[in-house]
Amino acid sequence: MNLKEIHVPVLLKEVLHYLNLKQGNIIFDGTLGGAGHTIEIIKAIAPTGKVIGVDLHCQTISTAASKLKDFSENIVLVNDNFANIKKILKRINIKSIDGMLLDLGLSSFLIEKSKRGFSYLKNEKLDMRFGNGDYISAFDVVNEYSEGKLTEIFQKYGEERWSKSIAKNIVNHRKTGDIKTTGELVEIIKDSIPQKFKYDRRGHPAKRIFQAIRMEVNKELDNLKMAIEDGFKMLKSGGRMVIISYHSLEDRMVKSSFLEYEGRCTCPPDFPVCRCGREKRAEIITKKVVRPGFEEISSNPRSKNARLRVLEKL
Ligand SMILES: C[S@@+](CC[C@H](N)C(=O)[O-])C[C@H]1O[C@@H](n2cnc3c(N)ncnc32)[C@H](O)[C@@H]1O
């Protein structure tokens, strides 16, 4: 493996600290990836603790299995969607957990090795599915969505200023045949952005569109919502949920769900007394979002947009 393929775990020290790990804990790691967080969690809860390591991408699971071969007593590997947390735990007869970690987004392995078209810097088949399930791929989104629907997801998930003209060009291009590869899509995106705006902003011109398509294909916000709701139910009293997100919509969802569990009143400010009846069921441990420092960002640029939040169940 070259260096780019090695996934460096983001905010590792902070994750270990906030999970408040003790020997014998049972931890649900919903985003196993390169097992960077998992290995260190296992060391902190061994010899009797267990990590349930989940990932949708099956090759990621087999790569992690060989990394974790010395810890077989302390790991249960599951190829599934973290949104299915309740079913997964039921299947392996675990009634409750001491902690849950979600480190959302892409691993270096998926970008560099999966050949699923996650990177705008490689020319691969349009796919972008994390899993192998029978659900839509990037090819379907790009070749079948209407111009209006494409514009909507580019705006919503990509916050792309040129969403409309990119969607229009995609639909025009389809008249000459299917758009099959990431390379073709990148060229269409570049052609849709006026020359003087193409390179005046941070990042590659296709970055936001690729992110939007990936979020749509994998229903990332829906999965996150379900994992927070069902994960909270499975936490023991005193158990913690640690979530690292890389996208403002995801972070907003984490923040507002955590506020809800903390019982923050949602009544309009002019109500004399509270009528929403929100009940306090948890404590937000991170009063301010935790972000990587300058040193981490310079040694691991992937961490740049990371935002970590922590909730403890009462
Ligand atoms: C950022 S990586 C995790 C990296 C890991 N924490 C580490 O330190 O090596 C995210 C991983 O989550 C997986 N993933 C994304 N969405 C998922 C979902 N809904 N269910 C299960 N796994 C998912 C991806 O396949 C990817 O391997």
Side-chain angles (χ1 to χ4, degrees):
M1 272 203 187
N2 71 37
L3 273 177
K4 275 166 89 187
E5 292 157 14
I6 298 170
H7 185 92
V8 182
V10 170
L11 292 166
L12 177 61
K13 244 181 24 225
E14 292 79 355
V15 165
L16 297 174
H17 165 72
Y18 282 115
L19 277 172
N20 197 21
L21 299 164
K22 310 218 168 34
Q23 271 186 17
N25 275 175
I26 297 177
I27 305 294
F28 182 88
D29 180 353
T31 48
L32 180 74
H37 289 113
T38 320
I39 287 187
E40 298 307 319
I41 294 171
I42 290 178
K43 288 179 188 162
I45 61 173
T48 49
K50 260 199 181 12
V51 173
I52 324 306
V54 177
D55 206 290
L56 251 180
H57 186 243
C58 79
Q59 213 190 327
T60 289
I61 295 275
S62 43
T63 308
S66 59
K67 260 194 189 171
L68 294 165
K69 63 181 185 315
D70 295 338
F71 303 99
S72 56
E73 293 293 305
N74 308 99
I75 182 88
V76 182
L77 292 170
V78 184
N79 183 207
D80 204 332
N81 191 323
F82 57 58
N84 297 327
I85 178 166
K86 261 168 82 177
K87 282 192 207 144
I88 296 169
L89 293 177
K90 191 166 177 207
R91 226 161 42 217
I92 53 176
N93 224 357
I94 288 179
K95 297 204 168 36
S96 57
I97 52 175
D98 298 287
M100 163 173 164
L101 169 66
L102 295 181
D103 173 22
L104 304 166
L106 286 172
S107 65
S108 309
F109 180 80
L110 284 180
I111 298 171
E112 299 297 333
K113 282 294 230 192
S114 70
K115 297 195 170 70
R116 292 208 173 173
F118 288 112
S119 170
Y120 39 76
L121 299 175
K122 289 174 178 282
N123 192 17
E124 293 174 346
K125 259 168 65 178
L126 272 174
D127 186 335
M128 298 198 200
R129 287 172 301 173
F130 287 139
N132 294 321
D134 188 18
Y135 58 99
I136 58 159
S137 68
F139 177 89
D140 303 313
V141 170
V142 169
N143 288 289
E144 281 169 29
Y145 276 26
S146 68
E147 188 179 322
K149 181 90 177 143
L150 285 172
T151 307
E152 186 192 314
I153 63 163
F154 295 163
Q155 280 169 345
K156 183 170 166 198
Y157 299 142
E159 290 163 347
E160 169 58 62
R161 178 177 173 190
W162 305 100
S163 294
K164 254 185 152 166
S165 66
I166 295 168
K168 188 165 178 233
N169 273 353
I170 287 175
V171 172
N172 274 339
H173 205 89
R174 289 188 329 213
K175 291 176 191 153
T176 60
D178 287 340
I179 301 161
K180 295 197 183 85
T181 63
T182 50
E184 283 173 81
L185 181 61
V186 167
E187 286 313 309
I188 297 170
I189 296 168
K190 282 186 182 166
D191 287 346
S192 314
I193 303 174
Q195 189 59 33
K196 70 173 184 173
F197 294 108
K198 214 174 291 184
Y199 293 103
D200 71 339
R201 26 186 228 169
R202 277 176 298 151
H204 191 279
K207 185 173 152 189
R208 291 155 190 267
I209 297 297
F210 269 58
Q211 172 184 272
I213 297 173
R214 194 199 80 214
M215 289 181 77
E216 171 69 11
V217 164
N218 295 290
K219 303 280 172 261
E220 294 183 30
L221 287 178
D222 296 346
N223 288 329
L224 176 60
K225 189 166 192 293
M226 194 161 155
I228 295 176
E229 281 173 18
D230 285 349
F232 187 77
K233 290 179 197 152
M234 302 311 296
L235 274 183
K236 289 178 189 165
S237 164
R240 290 191 173 183
M241 185 182 286
V242 175
I243 304 187
I244 307 175
S245 50
Y246 298 83
H247 187 282
S248 56
L249 285 178
E250 284 171 345
D251 184 53
R252 221 174 294 157
M253 177 177 284
V254 175
K255 185 177 172 189
S256 66
S257 310
F258 283 10
L259 285 171
E260 206 177 309
Y261 290 119
E262 213 186 32
R264 204 65 71 85
C265 171
T266 52
C267 294
D270 57 337
F271 275 26
V273 284
C274 168
R275 288 199 207 145
C276 68
R278 282 260 180 93
E279 175 200 346
K280 186 171 169 93
R281 292 187 283 161
E283 185 81 46
I284 296 176
I285 302 296
T286 43
K287 298 299 172 207
K288 264 177 65 187
V289 69
V290 176
R291 307 202 60 163
F294 175 75
E295 246 174 64
E296 177 165 3
I297 296 174
S298 5
S299 65
N300 181 16
R302 257 202 82 254
S303 68
K304 193 174 94 196
N305 297 318
R307 301 167 178 99
L308 178 147
R309 295 186 190 270
V310 184
L311 186 77
E312 184 176 296
K313 188 167 177 175
L314 292 181

